[in-house]
């Protein structure tokens, strides 16, 4: 450590671990964005979601292959989400000194191995074990994506870089999962998992060639991740993450039951396609404007989803209300991961990232469980009202956190 690093007041105590320095990626020197590494990272996000959610599209076939019931097979999704949520903090701490590229590559290779074992396994416990391992790998991916995007982008384009890397999430939900389901019907669920494994292996090669390396961090006095909760703005952002993700997953997980109740069961594929296209539009708008309009975009995203829930809550509303509602839902949801990632890193820096990962994945799991309870107790008509009850506080918190969390004028991000 140089003398300036030791003595400069207010300097962060975390310093890069020893290792060769890396030059800025091509394009950054000219103030642009290096698209190849950013797209590779976006594909890592895509594969994390596809690996997690693919069993939902082939659940009956997978259950028969594992000789278990569909409810037991469905727990292959739950164990993945729980593993991601529970391990985000300890894995981040344990791998803090690793070089970043090595860490991301290890996670993507784990996806490839886990999907291969899933494709070959007829043992339920083995399948659950490798699904949990893939969930841990996903925790690594989510913790690293935003930090990488920030390092790859010039300061005035950080939000846009985050938008590119996070675009893999709605694309996986809107395109990857339906495609996986289609392939499962055509070639079988095992062959589909083999294909996903092959794509993961190819992605590892792309990352190895395209993504620059960065050193890890070592510090004798590293501040604990939970210390980020004391920073102004972090708790409001995490509240918004929890409530928004919970609202979305209650409705998304059981959208088929909701559509069946409205007599639109035969239009599920079309409805999800509309949701996906609208989400892509939301990504595009967010990526173009997030660096200047974080607060207005977050308010608009929440208001769009609120309006969608209000339309869906109209008793007996058919396609004339459902399709406009789904468009608004997609526009709001598409950019929300970028908005909340940008907000949490602005408020708490890299230390807050694992907290966001833990909150996001925990409330994804809670959403599935809560939606099931609501479905049994009150029927699918209760979903829009629950979304409304969750999103009104979100709108109030975003509106109130105008100084910290969702500021009208963004301050330089904490590192």
């Amino acid at each position: 450590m140089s003398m300036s690093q030791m003595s400069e007041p207010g300097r962060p105590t975390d310093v890069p671990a020893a290792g060769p320095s890396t030059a800025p990626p091509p394009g950054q020197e000219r103030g642009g964005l290096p698209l190849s590494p950013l797209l590779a990272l976006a594909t890592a996000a895509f594969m994390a979601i596809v690996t997690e959610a693919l069993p939902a599209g082939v659940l009956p076939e997978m259950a028969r292959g594992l000789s278990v019931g569909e409810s037991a097979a469905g727990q292959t999704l739950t164990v993945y989400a729980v593993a991601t949520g529970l391990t985000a903090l300890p894995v981040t701490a344990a791998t803090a000194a690793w070089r970043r590229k090595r860490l991301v590559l290890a996670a993507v290779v784990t996806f490839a191995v886990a999907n291969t074992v899933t494709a070959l396994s007829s043992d339920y416990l083995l399948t659950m074990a490798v699904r949990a391992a893939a969930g841990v790998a996903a925790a690594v991916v989510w913790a690293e994506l935003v930090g990488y995007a920030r390092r790859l982008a010039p300061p005035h384009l950080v939000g846009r870089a985050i938008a590119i890397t996070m675009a893999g999430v709605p694309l996986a939900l809107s395109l990857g999962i339906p495609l996986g389901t289609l392939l499962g019907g055509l070639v079988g669920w095992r062959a589909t998992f083999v294909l996903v494994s092959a794509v993961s292996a190819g992605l590892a090669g792309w990352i190895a060639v395209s993504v620059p390396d960065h050193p890890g961090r070592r510090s004798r006095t590293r501040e604990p991740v939970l210390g980020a909760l004391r920073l102004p703005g972090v708790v409001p952002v995490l509240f918004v993450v929890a409530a928004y993700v919970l609202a979305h997953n209650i409705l998304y997980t059981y959208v088929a039951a909701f559509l069946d109740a409205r007599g639109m069961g035969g239009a599920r594929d079309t409805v999800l396609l509309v949701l996906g296209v609208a989400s892509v539009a939301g990504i595009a708008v967010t990526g173009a404007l997030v660096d200047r309009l974080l607060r207005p975009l977050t308010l608009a995203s929440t208001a769009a989803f609120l309006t969608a829930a209000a339309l869906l809550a109209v008793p007996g509303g058919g396609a004339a209300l459902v399709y406009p509602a789904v468009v608004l839902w997609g526009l709001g949801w598409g950019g929300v991961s970028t908005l909340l990632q940008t907000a949490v890193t602005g408020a708490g820096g890299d230390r807050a990232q694992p907290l966001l990962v833990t909150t996001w994945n925990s409330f994804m799991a809670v959403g599935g469980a809560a939606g099931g309870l609501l479905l049994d107790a009150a029927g699918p008509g209760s979903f829009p009202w629950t979304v409304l009850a969750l999103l009104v506080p979100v709108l109030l918190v975003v509106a109130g956190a105008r100084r910290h969390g969702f500021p009208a004028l963004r301050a330089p991000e904490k590192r």
Side-chain angles (χ1 to χ4, degrees), residues 62 66 76 117-118 121-132:
M62 193 173 179
L66 295 173
T76 58
V117 174
T118 301
S121 172
S122 296
D123 184 273
Y124 180 69
L125 292 180
L126 174 61
T127 301
M128 292 289 280
V130 296
R131 294 283 298 169

Side-chain angles (χ1 to χ4, degrees), residues 34-387:
L35 286 181
S36 182
L38 288 174
L39 291 174
L41 295 170
T43 306
F46 182 94
M47 295 311 300
I49 293 293
V50 168
T51 299
E52 176 176 12
L54 182 58
V58 294
L59 203 61
E61 298 80 8
M62 193 173 179
R64 288 194 294 270
L66 295 173
S67 302
V68 297
E70 288 189 31
S71 60
Q75 300 312 304
T76 58
L77 284 84
T78 303
V79 72
Y80 187 109
V82 169
T84 302
L86 292 180
T87 62
L89 296 179
V91 166
T92 298
T95 60
W98 288 31
R99 297 193 69 82
R100 302 294 92 184
K101 185 171 180 176
R102 170 188 171 195
L103 185 58
V104 174
L105 279 171
V108 173
V109 169
T110 300
F111 290 153
V113 172
N115 284 313
T116 298
V117 174
T118 301
L120 299 176
S121 172
S122 296
D123 184 273
Y124 180 69
L125 292 180
L126 174 61
T127 301
M128 292 289 280
V130 296
R131 294 283 298 169
V136 176
V140 170
V141 169
W142 299 132
E144 290 301 313
L145 285 181
V146 171
Y148 247 117
R150 291 168 65 204
R151 293 183 185 99
L152 289 167
H156 67 290
L157 293 177
V158 165
R160 190 171 301 178
I162 293 173
I164 292 172
T165 60
M166 299 309 297
V169 176
L171 287 175
L173 291 171
S174 60
L175 301 177
I177 303 306
L179 179 59
T181 303
L182 176 63
L183 287 172
L186 292 175
V187 301
W189 72 273
R190 293 188 186 276
T192 302
F193 272 99
V194 169
L195 179 61
V196 173
S197 179
V199 174
S200 298
L203 173 60
W206 185 7
I207 291 173
V209 171
S210 174
V211 176
D213 196 8
H214 293 287
R217 293 183 179 273
R218 293 197 192 109
S219 174
R220 297 176 183 174
T221 59
R222 186 189 316 279
E223 295 186 56
V225 169
L226 291 176
L229 292 172
R230 296 192 295 269
L231 297 173
V234 171
V235 170
V237 174
L238 292 179
F239 172 83
V240 170
V241 171
Y244 205 126
V245 170
L246 179 59
H248 170 79
N249 278 277
I250 286 173
L251 186 56
Y252 184 83
T253 303
Y254 297 97
V255 69
F258 180 83
L259 292 174
D260 287 344
R262 294 296 175 93
M264 295 181 62
R268 295 175 197 171
D269 292 346
T270 304
V271 169
L272 291 177
L273 178 61
V274 171
L275 178 64
V277 171
S279 297
V280 172
I283 295 169
V285 172
T286 302
L289 301 176
V290 65
D291 289 298
R292 293 180 285 115
L293 300 174
L294 171 65
R295 177 183 173 80
L297 286 172
T298 309
L299 289 169
S301 167
T302 308
F305 196 3
L306 263 170
T307 305
L311 291 174
L312 294 174
V314 176
L321 290 179
V322 169
Y323 281 111
V326 169
V327 170
L328 289 170
W329 177 15
L331 289 172
W333 174 252
V336 79
S337 59
T338 297
L339 294 169
L340 298 180
Q341 294 272 5
T342 303
V344 83
T345 51
D350 289 338
R351 280 191 296 155
Q353 262 309 299
L355 295 174
L356 182 141
V357 174
T358 296
T359 304
W360 188 292
N361 285 278
S362 297
F363 280 86
M364 279 183 65
V366 171
L373 293 174
L374 284 169
L375 183 63
D376 292 338
S382 64
F383 296 154
W385 295 104
T386 305
V387 172

